[in-house]
């Protein structure tokens, strides 16, 4: 006898695979309408900001999913489109969401111009399902569909990505999150459960294709394939218990910092951390090839910054290796033309920058045109003007009253609780 949960279709944004394979007609007769609420599912469904959950159907006792590896275009923020590879029209691919004890079948269709595989990072499974091309299985050739089948024996936050030409395939966006909920609900349950995959990209100004040969000098840093200000805010009601799951398949560790709260790190991709071993933090380092779950109770209303603490990672499209001009006058002096004038003679429209710091970039950014398909360095706007960040930055919005979890706008600070000019 199938449980109600097993015959429920997971919903989410329509995936390309959905149209081909997964239709509501495949569900059991009399299946209740899909729902994404805790009472119907037995767990709090994960929210993938700027992303979606991968739909599934029950077939022969398996929860069956379909991933389609394919080229796609991802808009990192308005004004920049990137030629990526990913799954089902998205990078990261849709989040796979299951329950401990589920038997899953994941069909993988390869629509890429080269072979691929999928590795299920952190998941305990038979050796032949581990997805390392050449070691555990032959490569999945273009045009082929392969099936992975295994039973989920653990719960937590895991990942999926190719183990075939991974330097290229991961650099261009092939990765996703794989969430397994515990079979027995954990007390206390979380009210809001977010999942964010961190990534970094080298997309040279004026180009559209991530450069896989870059190892360290990345210029765009994303939460779920978006840069601030295009990253969804995390909207929470005051008093709710919040979990955020971070995964990192980039080339750098990302220390993710939350303002206004302390939190506990409750799990890694190796499993739950016993409460006696958890310690309070405000910044969680998310190592390469790993996941971290953090939890706290959102008891302080406001708009709280939530970002990578490597300051280069909260910029957009920034250049490196540029001479440092801070403190260097570029103006004309003693009747001699200045550096700005001399360069302008060769490069009309050149503007001297970086003399008093970098904040002038943000001011000039509004009327300075960069190469096409490139985002200004400090483009985010807030209630009081430029936030002067981009990249791995979003806002945790905690409100006493919420009619929905849509963006509630900017926080109104109660009188007498804000910094003031003297
Ligand atoms: Cu970072």
């Amino acid at each position: 006898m199938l449980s109600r949960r097993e015959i429920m279709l997971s919903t989410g944004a329509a995936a390309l695979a959905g149209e081909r394979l997964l239709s509501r007609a495949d569900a059991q007769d009399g299946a209740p309408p899909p729902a994404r609420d805790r009472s119907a599912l037995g767990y709090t469904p994960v929210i993938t900001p700027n992303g979606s959950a991968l739909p599934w159907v029950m077939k022969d006792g398996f929860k069956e999913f379909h991933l389609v590896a394919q080229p796609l275009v991802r808009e990192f923020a308005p004004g920049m489109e990137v030629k990526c590879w990913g799954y089902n029209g998205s990078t990261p691919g849709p989040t796979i969401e299951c329950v401990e004890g589920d038997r899953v079948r994941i069909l993988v269709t390869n629509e890429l111009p080269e072979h691929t595989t999928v590795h299920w990072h952190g998941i305990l499974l038979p050796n032949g399902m581990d997805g390392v091309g050449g070691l555990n299985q032959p490569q999945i050739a273009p045009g082929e569909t392969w099936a992975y089948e295994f039973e989920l024996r653990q719960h937590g936050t895991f990942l999926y990505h190719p183990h075939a030409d991974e330097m290229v395939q991961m650099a261009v966006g092939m990765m996703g999150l794989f969430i397994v909920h515990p079979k027995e609900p954990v007390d206390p349950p979380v009210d809001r459960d977010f999942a964010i995959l961190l990534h970094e990209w080298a997309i040279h100004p004026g180009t559209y294709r991530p450069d896989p040969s870059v190892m360290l000098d990345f210029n765009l840093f994303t939460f779920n394939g978006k840069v601030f200000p295009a990253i969804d805010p995390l909207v929470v009601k005051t008093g709710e218990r919040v979990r955020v799951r971070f995964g990192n398949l980039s080339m750098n560790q990302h220390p993710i910092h939350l303002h206004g709260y302390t939190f506990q790190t409750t799990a890694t991709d190796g499993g739950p951390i016993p409460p006696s071993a958890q310690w309070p933090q405000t910044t969680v380092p998310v190592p390469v090839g790993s996941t971290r779950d953090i939890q706290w109770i959102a008891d302080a209303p406001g708009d709280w910054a939530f970002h990578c603490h490597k300051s280069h990672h909260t910029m957009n499209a920034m250049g490196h290796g540029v001479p440092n001009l801070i403190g260097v006058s570029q103006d004309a002096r003693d009747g001699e033309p200045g550096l700005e004038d001399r360069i302008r003679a060769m490069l009309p429209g050149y503007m001297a920058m970086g003399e008093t710091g970098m904040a002038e970039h943000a001011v000039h950014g509004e009327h300075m045109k960069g190469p096409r398909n490139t985002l200004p360095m400090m483009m985010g706007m807030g209630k009081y003007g430029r936030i002067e960040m981009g990249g791995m930055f979003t806002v945790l919005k905690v409100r006493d009253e919420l009619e929905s979890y849509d963006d509630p706008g900017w926080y109104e600070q109660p009188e007498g609780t804000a910094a003031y000019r003297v």
Side-chain angles (χ1 to χ4, degrees), residues 200 221 253-256 308-310 313 392:
E200 53 193 13
F221 301 84
Q253 182 235 61
H254 299 284
I256 305 295
C308 180
H309 219 295
K310 289 186 176 173
H313 296 188
M392 287 178 162

Side-chain angles (χ1 to χ4, degrees), residues 253-295:
Q253 182 235 61
H254 299 284
I256 305 295
H257 177 55
L258 174 62
H259 293 215
Y261 291 97
T262 66
F263 53 74
Q264 305 289 123
T265 302
T266 57
T268 75
D269 43 345
I273 300 171
S276 61
Q278 296 174 10
W279 42 314
Q281 286 178 297
T282 66
T283 301
V284 58
V286 186
V288 181
S290 193
T291 74
R292 292 289 181 273
D293 294 1
I294 63 171
Q295 274 191 43

Side-chain angles (χ1 to χ4, degrees), residues 313 322-323 387:
H313 296 188
V322 180
I387 297 177

